[in-house]
Every structure is written in C-alpha cells, then in structure tokens.
Amino acid sequence: MRRVAFGALLAAFAALPALAEVEMIDTDGDSMASFDEMAAVYEGFTEEQYGALDTDGDGLLSDEELVAAIDGGTLETLGD
C-alpha cells in the first residue's frame, strides 16, 4: 500500500508544472480553456490544434485535457 501512496505522491508532484501552465492559460478561472484563451497565449494556435486537444469533444479544454497535452508533449510549455 505504501508503494501506491508514494506513486500517487510522485505523480502529483510531476503534474505541478503543468498545473501552473493551466493557470496561465485559464484566465477566467472556470477550469476550462476556450479557443480564445489558447490563441491568446499560443501564437499561431489553430482551431484544428484546439480540436485535437479537445479529447472529449465538448468544445472546451478541461484542466485535465491541458495537463495531459502538456505532460504528453503535444502542447508546448509557455515560454519555450
């Protein structure tokens, strides 16, 4: 059981940089990123890219979708 708890703790720490990125993107604090919010921070960001990141197809990017895209390398971290 300790290994599971330790693994969960490590995963949480690994997600911290991505969560900081999410806060920079989600300017209205609704835990979702609209296309306009993404385009404001990613120069040249397209609707096609947005659609590819919207894995649940609801038209908005959740914090989870953003973290997955950042951690998976699909979305560059800001400042890179």
Side-chain angles (χ1 to χ4, degrees):
M1 186 65 163
R2 282 188 160 173
R3 288 184 189 181
V4 172
F6 185 69
L9 182 62
L10 286 177
F13 280 123
L16 287 177
L19 290 173
E21 296 285 324
V22 169
E23 287 181 13
M24 293 174 66
I25 296 167
D26 179 22
T27 57
D28 64 6
D30 66 353
S31 297
M32 305 296 269
S34 67
F35 174 76
D36 290 339
E37 286 173 313
M38 295 295 289
V41 295
Y42 290 101
E43 185 176 334
F45 192 75
T46 68
E47 289 188 26
E48 183 177 286
Q49 290 169 310
Y50 187 82
L53 297 178
D54 183 17
T55 57
D56 65 7
D58 69 353
L60 292 168
L61 300 180
S62 67
D63 287 351
E64 291 80 16
E65 288 169 317
L66 290 171
V67 168
I70 292 167
D71 286 347
T74 305
L75 191 62
E76 291 182 18
T77 57
L78 295 172
D80 282 353

